[in-house]
Amino acid sequence: MNFRPRAVRRILFAMFIAAAVLVLDGSPVQALPTTARLAQLHHRQWTIEHGAPADVWALDQGPDGYLWLGTGAGLYRFDGSEFERIEPEGGDRFPSIDITALYAAPSGDIWLGYSPGGISRLRHGVLENFEVDNSAATWMVLRIVEDQKGTVWAATDRGLMRFDGSAWEIVGEAWSYTGQSATWVDVAQDGSLWVADGEGIVYLEPGATQFKALPVRAGRAVFAEGPDGTLWVLDSYHGLFAISVDSRELLHEQRGETPAKRFDPNYMMVDKDGAVWGSDLTRGGIFRIANPSDVQGAGPDAFLSAVETFTLADGLSSNISVPLLEDGEGQVWAGTNLGLDSLSRQFFVTEPRVPATSRYGYSALFSPHGDYILDSTTLYRLSPDRDITTVAAMPPQLTNGMTDSKGTVWVGTRQGLWRYSSGPAFTQVDLPEGAENLRVGPLAEDREGNIWVIIRRLGVFRLVGGRWDRVSLPAEVLDAIPNSLFADPRGAIWLGLRDGRLLMIDGVKRQLFNAAAGLDIGEVLGVYNVAGHLHAVGAFGIARLEGDRFRTLSSKQIAAANGVTGLARTEDGQVWMNTISGVVRLSEEELDRAFKDPGYRPGLELFTARDGLPGVAQQSTLQTVNLSADGRIWFITNHGLAWHDLSYEVIAPSLTPVRLKSLSANGTVLEPTEGMILPANTTRLSLSYQALNLVSPDRTQFRYMLGGADERWVEVDTARVIQFSNLKPGDYTIRIEASSEPGTWLGPTTELTFRIPPTFIQSPWFVLTCAAVLLCLGFIGYLYHLRQVAERIKTRMEERLNERERIARELHDTLLQGFQGLVLRFQSVLDKLPSGSENRDALEAALERADDVLQEGRDKVRRLRSGSDPVDLIAVLKATVANILGDQLPWYIETEGVPRSVYAQVAEEIAPFCGEAAANALQHAHASELRLHINFGKLRLEISVIDDGIGMPADVMAKGSLDGHYGLVGLRERACKLGGDMDITNNRPSGTAVCLRLPAKTAYTRHGE
């Protein structure tokens, strides 16, 4: 292994590198239990393979709860899940990436010391590097602390330094400090400053300016103050010794030095329970002394015998470990050259002194006579001091066990029955005739002290006064297979049958319970008296006896209530179930309510392997939940035994607001700030965040809500990035919450408000512009349509006019010319007749009539040729209406706009339209007056015939005509023929209005424009 010279120096002085132990003010802290061995604690590690930095030389916890790591690769912050490399946002840059000292001040400042020398302060993201005396510029910084007055001190390999508020100064003779180095520095609870100077220990009284030395010789020493004010000191030659901070004296005589250095302490801390922790460069790893007062002053040999170690062989990431830290939740953290480790108390502690595998399972026999544990090979006894001792070798092939009222242990096996009272071995018990080599068990004891046993293929027997009696069973269960046996507190015996039925035997009384009696839990695996009620547990739930019936609580109400093999209640009113899904805990009140209300799903806690359980409930008829006399509750699993200390107060992880890390808008990374305005046209958004949970980061769940788009909470489990797409311009608020327990959302809520401005094409002005353009285009299209319609009508009218002119020519050139020739012929004949003759008079009369007809023909031809000539519409309508109404109905014409001439063809259609409307008013409306309104509009011509009569019936209005009459139909046909439209309305208070509307280009002649 090759090291740079600076790295060699760092390792040589690594035993002095430290991080201050910080406990968050006001947070409840429970240290790791000294009764649990280090191997029983929950160990987690983050190595370089998990993204952790290497060479973790300094640790501290900031006031916000985050861990700060000073490493050989720079400064990092840790939330329990992710390591975040910290770079200054402003100010200076780091003088070195090799950080060997770190102090997180209550103010939020982060003080950093470096292996090559130098000290920096990171304040609100801005780094400030401080200049030091040239002679101290290369001093390796080992530790930084702050006293109660806010003065910051630094221990270096060449001396002690002090920050006066603006600059660092070397502490020397002016302070009566004569040490050539400062390998350790700490501040006691009374405000005094303690320093190890390489030869001994000196201290500075609060407010004093002169150090005082203790009469103690110490090599490279480390120390820490315990909760009781004792300063515990470790050095390489004297082992562990104690100093009273109050009296400034040794609490015992210091032993002589050991010539050979047995250990080399890197770091030391005292947890909240007074246990001493340290790291050892010589032996490697970390160690703990649970009761330091037992070995104080005993020298290195006694010290080493009391040390409990945790090394690479136990799972530590590396044996090269330096800093230690106890966080606000009581976890212990260790930094190594390969990453970061933590030791924490799990809810359940696996018992390592009982093998994790047992071919024939386990049994726990806890009674007032003693607490025993059985596996396939050994009988163990649990002592009041929580020690476990081996009592005897087990008979082979365990099936069941029990402790009777006299304290005798009875064990059933696949080949017989055994009992144990004392001594090193079990004694075999004779069985009924024919039971040799048959499976024996389960076992129970009735109120008379008789032992009951099930013998496979023989039946149920009872040992009375040393004699076996067969137990008589009801006829309806003779063919059933008994597989479980239990005694209730009254001494009655309960016999479980494989088909799910349960037989109660109390003296001569026999009572059978089945599904019809409410017992519907499948195979009965246990009968227990809990909370004053008799309960049966089984494959599919739990049932409670109420009177003569059972009430079943199935897995529909408690999803984890499958494969229940153990049930118990603790003094605090909590009910515990051991199931195939894990351990369930719920209050007695919740259990009662669930039994009373079949639709109620009780609130509960489910504990699994994440909480320290080595497996799931052992599936057998043995009780798998037991309470021991030392205040623990034990659980038998399919992979060993675990216990929970009922005095252990579970501390929920401290929940802090979710911290937003970065925001990406359409791939552009931005700093998330409140009220930020994102670039226009942002449609994709990605937000990364983190939440502090050092205790159980794998249980941290998140949910979010995007206000402005979807007002619903969305749960995202453990993901720490959320993405949004298809975002539209607008104002949004992202709300994020974290939770350490599924379904429990207690806040706090982190909010980020931002705005996405619209682009021009997304703005309201663009929409209004587009709307205006569309309206214009629509209007232009409408005008174009009207023009096309007018052109089509005009074309048809021109075609009709051309046809009329052709007809006029034909009439003139043929009929009228021929008729004129005939008249001339008759005139020549007339001229030859004598004057006064009767024939002449008759012929003259005929010729006069012929002249009249000829004139009418010429008039018709003229009218045919005058279709495109301008016509005075007012005059035409006056003549038409006057001809129809005469003096029968008063009427008048009113105009609006500048009167204009219309095409004769149009007038020929308008005139009969108005005539028909006037005739209808005369005949049907019973009107007293009629008004003809003509509106010469620029875009259209409107003619309305309005009367003040009785109006038109609603059914006629709806149908559009009167049965057998076609006047209204003709009106619509004429309007359609002209390319216009008409409508009929009933006026208020009386009367009817018939309106004809024609496009201007269809009606008006150019001469009339």
Side-chain angles (χ1 to χ4, degrees):
M1 181 180 298
N2 295 323
F3 294 97
R4 294 178 289 107
R6 190 60 79 174
V8 173
R9 181 187 179 197
R10 180 178 62 217
I11 293 176
L12 290 176
F13 284 94
M15 69 288 296
F16 309 124
I17 301 176
V21 177
L22 174 66
V23 178
L24 298 178
D25 293 339
S27 300
V29 176
Q30 187 167 12
L32 298 182
T34 56
T35 54
R37 299 185 178 185
L38 292 182
Q40 293 175 301
L41 300 178
H42 180 45
H43 171 238
R44 292 177 295 160
Q45 67 170 221
W46 295 264
T47 66
I48 54 179
E49 295 179 359
H50 305 102
D55 293 345
V56 180
W57 306 128
L59 280 174
D60 206 352
Q61 187 174 24
D64 56 1
Y66 286 86
L67 289 189
W68 291 84
L69 286 68
T71 78
L75 180 64
Y76 286 80
R77 179 169 52 197
F78 184 53
D79 66 353
S81 179
E82 297 180 359
F83 293 89
E84 181 184 6
R85 184 181 174 90
I86 303 300
E87 293 290 345
E89 299 174 6
D92 301 326
R93 72 172 186 176
F94 291 125
S96 170
I97 63 171
D98 197 358
I99 300 171
T100 51
L102 186 151
Y103 169 64
S107 64
D109 291 347
I110 305 297
W111 289 91
L112 305 170
Y114 305 94
S115 174
I119 298 177
S120 305
R121 180 178 61 194
L122 185 66
R123 173 176 289 178
H124 304 306
V126 178
L127 186 72
E128 181 179 5
N129 296 329
F130 293 94
E131 295 183 0
V132 296
D133 186 270
N134 290 335
S135 61
T138 59
W139 292 1
M140 181 180 182
V141 183
L142 306 174
R143 184 172 170 83
I144 302 174
V145 297
E146 182 179 8
D147 63 24
Q148 295 180 354
K149 292 187 176 181
T151 302
V152 182
W153 302 79
T156 76
D157 62 348
R158 299 291 297 277
L160 183 66
M161 300 181 66
R162 173 180 176 274
F163 185 67
D164 63 5
S166 60
W168 284 88
E169 62 178 2
I170 299 174
V171 178
E173 293 182 358
W175 290 78
S176 298
Y177 185 86
T178 59
Q180 299 302 308
S181 66
T183 60
W184 195 261
V185 61
D186 208 348
V187 179
Q189 298 176 40
D190 67 352
S192 57
L193 184 74
W194 296 76
V195 183
D197 63 4
E199 296 182 357
I201 297 176
V202 299
Y203 63 93
L204 183 68
E205 297 285 0
T209 59
Q210 301 295 311
F211 278 91
K212 298 178 181 179
L214 284 177
V216 173
R217 175 170 173 77
R220 288 195 297 268
V222 292
F223 47 78
E225 186 181 12
D228 60 354
T230 300
L231 189 72
W232 293 97
V233 184
L234 267 175
D235 80 328
S236 304
Y237 300 102
H238 300 91
L240 181 69
F241 59 94
I243 298 172
S244 172
V245 174
D246 292 337
S247 64
R248 315 295 198 237
E249 296 177 349
L250 279 171
L251 293 179
H252 53 80
E253 182 180 355
Q254 190 178 23
R255 293 295 184 92
E257 296 183 5
T258 302
K261 185 165 62 175
R262 302 290 301 278
F263 64 97
D264 204 349
N266 292 342
Y267 187 87
M268 178 181 165
M269 65 168 236
V270 180
D271 67 23
K272 303 307 173 293
D273 281 344
V276 170
W277 295 73
S279 55
D280 183 3
L281 185 62
T282 300
R283 298 170 47 163
I286 63 176
F287 60 84
R288 181 184 69 171
I289 306 173
N291 299 298
S293 58
D294 294 343
V295 295
Q296 61 175 335
D301 292 332
F303 161 74
L304 292 176
S305 65
V307 164
E308 185 182 5
T309 62
F310 192 82
T311 64
L312 180 65
D314 302 302
L316 194 68
S317 58
S318 171
N319 274 339
I320 303 178
S321 175
V322 180
L324 294 168
L325 169 71
E326 184 182 22
D327 67 17
E329 278 87 17
Q331 297 182 105
V332 172
W333 298 82
T336 75
N337 66 329
L338 292 181
L340 184 67
D341 295 75
S342 76
L343 291 172
S344 61
R345 180 169 191 168
Q346 293 195 115
F347 194 84
F348 293 100
V349 177
T350 300
E351 181 50 64
R353 290 166 290 185
V354 177
T357 57
S358 176
R359 181 177 179 181
Y360 299 104
Y362 305 89
S363 181
L365 311 177
F366 290 5
S367 74
H369 301 284
D371 297 334
Y372 293 94
I373 297 172
L374 297 77
D375 65 10
S376 298
T377 62
T378 309
L379 173 68
Y380 306 91
R381 182 165 185 140
L382 179 63
S383 62
D385 62 357
R386 299 193 174 186
D387 192 19
I388 293 180
T389 58
T390 299
V391 175
M394 281 291 297
Q397 301 182 358
L398 169 71
T399 62
N400 210 302
M402 60 160 280
T403 303
D404 65 18
S405 56
K406 298 178 181 179
T408 301
V409 175
W410 295 78
V411 173
T413 73
R414 294 176 183 267
Q415 296 179 353
L417 178 65
W418 306 75
R419 66 184 176 186
Y420 173 85
S421 297
S422 61
F426 280 81
T427 301
Q428 190 167 10
V429 179
D430 293 334
L431 292 174
E433 185 178 353
E436 295 80 7
N437 298 323
L438 293 181
R439 177 171 177 166
V440 177
L443 303 162
E445 181 184 16
D446 62 20
R447 67 171 62 93
E448 287 81 18
N450 302 318
I451 304 300
W452 293 57
V453 64
I454 297 175
I455 301 178
R456 180 69 61 86
R457 294 197 296 271
L458 282 186
V460 182
F461 291 82
R462 179 176 56 187
L463 183 61
V464 181
R467 186 186 71 255
W468 288 102
D469 292 338
R470 182 185 295 272
V471 178
S472 62
L473 302 177
E476 58 265 37
V477 301
L478 290 178
D479 294 333
I481 300 175
N483 70 326
S484 57
L485 197 62
F486 310 94
D488 66 22
R490 299 179 297 110
I493 300 298
W494 293 80
L495 180 66
L497 306 177
R498 185 166 295 177
D499 58 12
R501 293 181 295 171
L502 188 60
L503 178 66
M504 189 273 290
I505 305 173
D506 190 3
V508 297
K509 181 181 178 180
R510 306 287 192 271
Q511 187 173 2
L512 185 64
F513 298 89
N514 53 21
L519 183 65
D520 188 19
I521 59 173
E523 181 182 0
V524 178
L525 300 175
V527 175
Y528 310 109
N529 190 70
V530 173
H533 295 276
L534 191 76
H535 295 80
V537 299
F540 303 117
I542 174 175
R544 171 182 287 182
L545 182 63
E546 297 180 353
D548 291 333
R549 289 184 57 82
F550 275 94
R551 188 185 296 271
T552 296
L553 184 66
S554 70
S555 57
K556 292 182 180 179
Q557 288 178 269
I558 300 180
N562 283 315
V564 184
T565 60
L567 187 70
R569 177 190 179 276
T570 52
E571 292 182 357
D572 59 357
Q574 297 295 311
V575 178
W576 302 74
M577 284 188 283
N578 200 9
T579 79
I580 196 69
S581 301
V583 171
V584 173
R585 180 175 70 173
L586 72 166
S587 69
E588 186 177 343
E589 292 77 11
E590 286 289 290
L591 185 62
D592 290 343
R593 182 176 175 184
F595 274 116
K596 293 177 182 178
D597 182 2
Y600 179 67
R601 303 190 68 175
L604 53 84
E605 295 173 274
L606 177 64
F607 301 96
T608 62
R610 293 193 301 181
D611 303 288
L613 283 173
V616 298
Q618 177 177 280
Q619 296 299 293
S620 69
T621 58
L622 299 169
Q623 165 68 304
T624 61
V625 182
N626 294 273
L627 294 168
S628 60
D630 59 8
R632 290 182 289 178
I633 184 168
W634 292 73
F635 296 88
I636 299 176
T637 77
N638 60 353
H639 196 63
L641 275 71
W643 52 265
H644 168 68
D645 191 336
L646 295 173
S647 65
Y648 171 51
E649 178 185 358
V650 180
I651 300 174
S654 300
L655 286 178
T656 59
V658 176
R659 192 173 70 86
L660 306 180
K661 294 175 59 179
S662 65
L663 182 145
S664 173
N666 284 355
T668 302
V669 178
L670 304 170
E671 181 73 20
T673 57
E674 182 65 19
M676 65 188 306
I677 299 178
L678 301 182
N681 201 33
T682 296
T683 59
R684 293 178 292 105
L685 191 68
S686 176
L687 181 66
S688 62
Y689 49 87
Q690 63 181 166
L692 175 68
N693 187 348
L694 299 177
V695 176
S696 53
D698 56 330
R699 289 191 172 185
T700 303
Q701 295 183 330
F702 299 91
R703 68 174 183 173
Y704 70 87
M705 177 193 296
L706 182 60
D710 188 358
E711 300 294 333
R712 296 177 301 173
W713 286 103
V714 180
E715 296 186 12
V716 290
D717 294 331
T718 59
R720 284 170 167 78
V721 177
I722 52 178
Q723 296 179 339
F724 305 96
S725 59
N726 300 321
L727 294 177
K728 298 178 181 179
D731 295 323
Y732 296 91
T733 300
I734 298 178
R735 298 177 176 88
I736 307 178
E737 290 183 357
S739 171
S740 60
E741 293 296 334
T744 303
W745 303 98
L746 302 177
T749 302
T750 296
E751 293 188 359
L752 175 65
T753 301
F754 62 92
R755 183 181 183 188
I756 301 178
T759 60
F760 173 72
I761 63 175
Q762 295 173 321
S763 65
W765 292 109
F766 179 77
V767 175
L768 292 175
T769 302
C770 290
V773 171
L774 289 176
L775 287 175
C776 291
L777 291 176
F779 183 71
I780 292 172
Y782 175 70
L783 293 179
Y784 179 71
H785 173 70
L786 290 181
R787 183 183 183 91
Q788 285 185 318
V789 171
E791 290 295 333
R792 286 197 297 269
I793 294 175
K794 188 174 182 180
T795 300
R796 288 199 300 268
M797 292 179 65
E798 289 177 352
E799 290 175 352
R800 291 174 60 189
L801 181 61
N802 292 334
E803 181 65 15
R804 288 161 65 107
E805 289 177 348
R806 185 188 67 78
I807 295 172
R809 286 194 304 271
E810 292 293 332
L811 289 174
H812 181 272
D813 294 342
T814 57
L815 181 61
L816 291 181
Q817 291 291 351
F819 196 79
Q820 180 68 33
L822 288 176
V823 170
L824 292 176
R825 284 177 178 271
F826 279 109
Q827 184 66 43
S828 65
V829 173
L830 177 64
D831 290 342
K832 294 179 180 182
L833 292 178
S835 175
S837 67
E838 182 178 353
N839 290 333
R840 183 182 179 90
D841 292 338
L843 186 57
E844 285 182 349
L847 288 174
E848 288 178 359
R849 178 59 182 157
D851 288 337
D852 293 338
V853 172
L854 187 60
Q855 184 60 41
E856 289 178 3
R858 289 192 181 98
D859 292 339
K860 289 290 185 181
V861 171
R862 186 178 65 255
R863 285 196 296 271
L864 285 174
R865 287 184 172 274
S866 64
S868 60
D869 296 337
V871 172
D872 184 355
L873 180 62
I874 298 175
V876 171
L877 295 183
K878 280 183 179 181
T880 300
V881 175
N883 186 42
I884 293 174
L885 297 181
D887 296 332
Q888 303 179 66
L889 181 66
W891 64 278
Y892 63 92
I893 295 178
E894 61 182 11
T895 62
E896 182 179 349
V898 180
R900 303 169 69 177
S901 299
V902 299
Y903 289 107
Q905 287 177 287
V906 174
E908 289 180 359
E909 298 293 342
I910 295 176
F913 180 96
C914 294
E916 178 68 21
N920 288 336
L922 178 65
Q923 297 175 15
H924 306 293
H926 305 294
S928 61
E929 184 181 73
L930 184 138
R931 174 165 49 99
L932 186 64
H933 181 86
I934 306 173
N935 181 6
F936 293 96
K938 292 184 178 181
L939 299 178
R940 61 185 179 181
L941 171 66
E942 293 185 6
I943 303 102
S944 300
V945 181
I946 307 168
D947 65 59
D948 61 353
I950 62 175
M952 187 174 291
D955 59 337
V956 177
M957 291 281 289
K959 294 174 61 177
S961 65
L962 184 65
D963 292 341
H965 296 263
Y966 301 100
L968 296 180
V969 176
L971 294 180
R972 288 189 174 84
E973 290 176 347
R974 289 185 184 278
C976 182
K977 183 178 179 181
L978 293 173
D981 63 84
M982 66 153 291
D983 58 50
I984 303 173
T985 58
N986 282 332
N987 294 331
R988 293 185 179 182
S990 64
T992 304
V994 180
C995 183
L996 171 67
R997 287 179 289 271
L998 300 177
K1001 291 192 176 183
T1002 301
Y1004 301 141
T1005 64
R1006 292 187 179 183
H1007 300 287
E1009 293 178 356

